């Protein structure tokens, strides 16, 4: 980061960049899940015959991962371990343990001191502190056929027929499921790659445009060579800033707005804006319009499974709905006020929300821009010159 | 041809909420009744010039804006409440602080989107930008322009929309044609040529009719009538 900052957009881009996962750490995370994937695929692996595939899910896959607020805190790297099989020959418990054996072996073989944790749905590998992240591994079976049937049965015919959004649907394990230890076909369903495909569709034009710019800039020889994680669209950056704003406003408060709601509503509101300022304006103005009301129940539907309501806890915990709206109001106020002030006069409320530490990393770049002292009359004259040249200012009248 | 929206008071309120969510964060709804939504607070005047954009808002004015039921056919009333603008006709502010910010029917005809956000970021912001320029020692009337008072300014604004000469006769003839649902080639052309529309200004008139619906033409005519009295 050496580029000077001379306007609001550049400042917010730099802030988003500073809270993003560093490229080196991102590449290290990719190495880690590739490494575990290769381990699962070795011929002596207990799941070798089941053709295991690992891939990231969640914010790593969406490109919206952010650094934890505290420097000592770790990144969450969520990955899926998908094995071939069917719920009529495996119980959820058996799948969890099959993958668990390999996860434990991997940890031992790689000198990871702490034993992997057997969580509700995932196995968690905690690397040493210096690695700065831990990995949640979600055991899963492919489930596209049943997922499509389910969507069609529920009346979502178009979505059920959409190959791109449904072909990677999964059946996942859950220790609290009543049939965890029995052969049943009522496993929980999940579709992280389908969601990521939907998310990508929301920003595809801008994503492709930015890839082309990297090629034009000679950073890559062709668009196909640009890794997705090297491109950050205004939607991704806006979500990163909003998540950081949320994190500092709430800490570990269980009533804080959850990332999947912020991400889904932002992607629904986004309409292809080409810079982060316009994207934040559209998102913060319109995101709550995508919350559906049905009687007293609010819905933030999973776009690739409308039967799933990301806001399902709001009914049981009304404080969560209230806090979502309180957070949104605060984000609207903080970002909007920044745009009403000179770009290098960042309101203290926004600095606090995005953290002083991050601001301190970025603010020296604002000082690089050569200061120009312009009198108020000169500023007004520039307005007049622009209006004279471009027109479009309506004229006052006296009727 | 799109008809003007007939907004309910709830729809007007929702448009106002969209406006104050981000674009004008220091305006607040102070009254919501069956017949109007009233907002007040600080209105930020944003620059048009890209060169000035890093500076943020150019200025801010204390305002009260009343959006009546019937909007957008009926225009919002805007009052400058901070006392920064002299209550003088030459500055387009009435003694009660109400601002003559534009020739409303002409804006209706020209606007691509007749939402409250567009009105505020369009003619209302333009009005306060004009005042900002003037308060910074520049003769805004000369530099940016203004409409003459009363009917002559109205005719000027209409003539620009209708692409005709700014006389009451010419404007009225055009409005008479545009208030009709259909345009007939056999009618006499409103330009005064004594020819039929079909062999005179038909192409141009059809283009204008695309923007000036019979409903807007009616609103324009009513305003003209009230100024003529």
């Amino acid at each position: 980061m050496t580029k000077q900052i001379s306007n609001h957009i550049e400042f917010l881009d730099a802030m988003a960049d500073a809270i993003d996962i560093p490229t080196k750490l991102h590449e290290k995370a990719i190495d880690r899940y590739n490494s575990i994937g290769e381990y699962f695929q070795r011929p002596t692996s207990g799941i070798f015959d089941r053709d295991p595939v690992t891939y990231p899910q969640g914010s790593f896959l969406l490109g919206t991962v952010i650094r934890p607020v505290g420097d000592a805190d770790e990144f969450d790297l969520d990955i899926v371990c998908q094995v071939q099989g069917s719920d009529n020959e495996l119980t959820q418990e058996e799948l969890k343990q099959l993958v668990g054996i390999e996860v434990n072996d991997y940890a031992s073989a790689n000198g990871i001191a702490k034993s992997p944790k057997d969580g509700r749905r995932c196995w968690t590998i905690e690397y040493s502190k210096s690695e700065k992240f831990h990995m949640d591994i979600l055991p899963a079976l492919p489930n596209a056929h049943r997922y499509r049937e389910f969507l069609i049965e529920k009346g979502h015919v178009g979505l059920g027929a959409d190959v791109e959004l449904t072909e990677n649907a999964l059946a996942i394990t859950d220790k609290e499921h009543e049939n965890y230890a029995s052969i049943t076909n009522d496993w929980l369903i999940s579709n992280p790659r389908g969601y990521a495909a939907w998310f990508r569709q929301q920003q595809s034009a801008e994503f492709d445009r930015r890839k082309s710019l990297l090629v034009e800039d000679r950073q890559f020889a062709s668009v196909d060579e640009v890794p997705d994680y090297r491109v950050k669209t205004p939607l991704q950056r806006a979500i990163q800033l909003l998540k950081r704003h949320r994190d500092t406003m709430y800490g570990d408060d269980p009533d804080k707005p959850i990332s999947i709601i912020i991400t889904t509503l932002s992607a629904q509101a986004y309409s292809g804006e080409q810079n982060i300022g316009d994207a934040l304006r559209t998102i913060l103005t319109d995101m709550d319009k995508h919350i559906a009301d049905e009687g007293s129940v609010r819905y933030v539907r999973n776009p690739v499974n409308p039967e799933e309501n990301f806001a399902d806890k709001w009914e049981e915990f009304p404080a969560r709905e209230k806090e979502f709206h309180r957070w949104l109001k605060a984000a609207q106020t903080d970002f909007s006020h920044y745009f009403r002030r000179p770009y290098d006069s960042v309101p203290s409320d926004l600095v606090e929300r995005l953290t002083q530490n991050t601001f301190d990393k970025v603010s020296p770049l604002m000082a690089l821009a050569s200061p120009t002292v312009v009198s108020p009359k000169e500023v007004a004259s520039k307005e007049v010159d622009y209006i004279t040249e471009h027109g479009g200012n309506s004229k006052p009248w006296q009727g | 041809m799109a008809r003007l929206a007939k907004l309910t008071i709830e729809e007007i309120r929702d448009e106002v909420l969209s406006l104050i969510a981000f674009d004008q964060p220091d305006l607040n709804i102070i009254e919501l009744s069956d017949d109007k939504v009233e907002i007040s607070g600080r209105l930020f005047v944003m620059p048009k010039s890209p060169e000035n954009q890093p500076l943020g808002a150019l200025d801010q004015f204390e305002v009260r804006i009343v959006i009546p039921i019937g909007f957008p056919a009926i225009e919002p009333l805007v009052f400058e409440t901070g006392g920064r603008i002299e209550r003088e006709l030459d500055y387009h502010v009435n003694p009660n602080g109400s601002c003559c910010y534009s020739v409303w029917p002409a804006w209706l005809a020209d606007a691509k989107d007749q939402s409250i956000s567009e009105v505020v970021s369009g003619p209302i912001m333009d009005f306060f930008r004009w005042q900002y320029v003037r308060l910074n020692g520049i003769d805004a009337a000369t530099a940016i322009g203004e409409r003459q008072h009363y009917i002559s300014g109205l005719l000027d604004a209409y003539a620009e929309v209708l692409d005709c000469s700014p006389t009451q006769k010419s404007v009225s003839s055009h409005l008479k044609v545009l208030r009709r649902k259909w345009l007939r080639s056999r009618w006499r052309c409103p330009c005064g040529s004594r020819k039929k529309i079909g062999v005179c200004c038909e192409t141009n008139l059809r283009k204008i009719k695309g923007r000036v619906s019979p409903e807007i033409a009616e609103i324009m005519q009513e305003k003209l009538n009230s100024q003529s009295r």
Side-chain angles (χ1 to χ4, degrees), chain A residues 9-10 12-14 16-17 200 203-220 222-224 226-238 240 270 272-279:
Chain A
I9 310 293
E10 287 170 3
L12 291 173
D13 271 337
D17 207 28
R200 173 78 180 262
Q203 55 171 358
S204 57
E206 185 57 15
F207 198 82
D208 294 344
R209 189 182 76 87
R210 288 189 175 234
K211 274 198 171 181
S212 302
L213 288 177
L214 288 177
V215 175
E216 272 174 38
D217 204 25
R218 294 172 189 260
Q219 293 190 40
F220 293 91
S222 74
V223 168
D224 294 338
V226 184
D228 286 356
Y229 70 87
R230 289 294 302 275
V231 176
K232 277 288 179 307
T233 65
L235 171 63
Q236 290 166 313
R237 287 208 187 282
Q240 288 176 309
Y270 177 71
E273 288 76 12
Q274 295 192 346
N275 69 61
I276 193 169
D278 291 342

Side-chain angles (χ1 to χ4, degrees), chain B residues 145-188:
Chain B
E146 63 180 344
R147 300 279 177 212
Q148 287 183 291
H149 295 337
Y150 310 119
I151 194 162
S152 49
L154 185 79
L155 290 171
D156 270 345
Y158 282 10
E160 284 172 19
V161 171
L162 303 172
D163 195 15
C164 69
S165 59
T167 62
Q168 193 154 355
K169 191 178 172 198
S170 176
V171 165
S172 294
S173 310
H174 278 77
L175 288 177
K176 191 177 170 190
V177 167
L178 293 165
R179 278 154 58 206
R180 305 287 287 270
K181 202 168 179 182
W182 308 109
L183 193 66
R184 304 283 181 214
S185 302
R186 63 172 188 276
W187 293 344
R188 183 172 286 189

Side-chain angles (χ1 to χ4, degrees), chain A residues 5 9 34 61 64 101-102 120 140 142 174 177 213 216 218 231 241 250 258 272 283 291 301 308 320 340 349 376:
Chain A
I5 291 171
I9 310 293
N34 282 339
L61 186 55
T64 56
I101 291 166
E102 295 309 311
R120 182 174 164 185
D174 179 2
H177 192 285
L213 288 177
E216 272 174 38
R218 294 172 189 260
V231 176
L241 291 179
Y250 288 94
I258 56 176
I283 289 168
I291 302 172
R301 295 187 188 280
E308 182 180 10
R320 296 189 184 182
R340 317 291 141 213
D349 284 352

Side-chain angles (χ1 to χ4, degrees), chain A residues 6-8 277 280-281 284-286 289 329 331-333 335-344 374 376-384 386-388 391-399, chain B residues 18 21-23 25-26 44 46-58 89 92 94 100-101 103 123 126-127 129-130 132-133 136-138 143 146-150 153-154 223 227:
Chain A
S6 54
N7 61 46
H8 298 84
L280 278 168
R281 175 181 181 263
L284 288 170
T285 301
D286 291 340
K289 297 186 178 91
K329 180 75 196 154
Q332 287 168 339
T333 303
F335 284 103
S336 171
H337 276 135
Y338 172 53
F339 280 96
R340 317 291 141 213
R341 297 169 65 143
Y343 78 95
D344 55 356
V374 187
K377 192 167 179 178
E378 283 175 280
V379 175
S381 295
K382 280 183 190 166
E383 278 304 296
V384 170
Y386 186 84
I387 292 165
T388 309
N393 209 85
S394 69
K395 296 169 187 165
W397 174 59
Q398 189 76 42
Chain B
S18 286
F22 195 87
D23 287 350
D26 286 4
F44 289 103
M46 301 305 288
K48 270 202 160 147
S49 157
E51 225 182 315
N52 283 337
Q53 270 158 19
L55 302 173
L58 297 168
L89 236 53
H92 306 281
N94 289 313
C100 302
Y101 55 93
V103 176
D126 288 346
F127 173 83
R129 196 179 288 108
W130 191 93
Y132 151 80
V133 165
N136 276 285
I138 297 171
E146 63 180 344
R147 300 279 177 212
Q148 287 183 291
H149 295 337
Y150 310 119
L154 185 79
K223 190 96 178 171
Q227 285 294 315

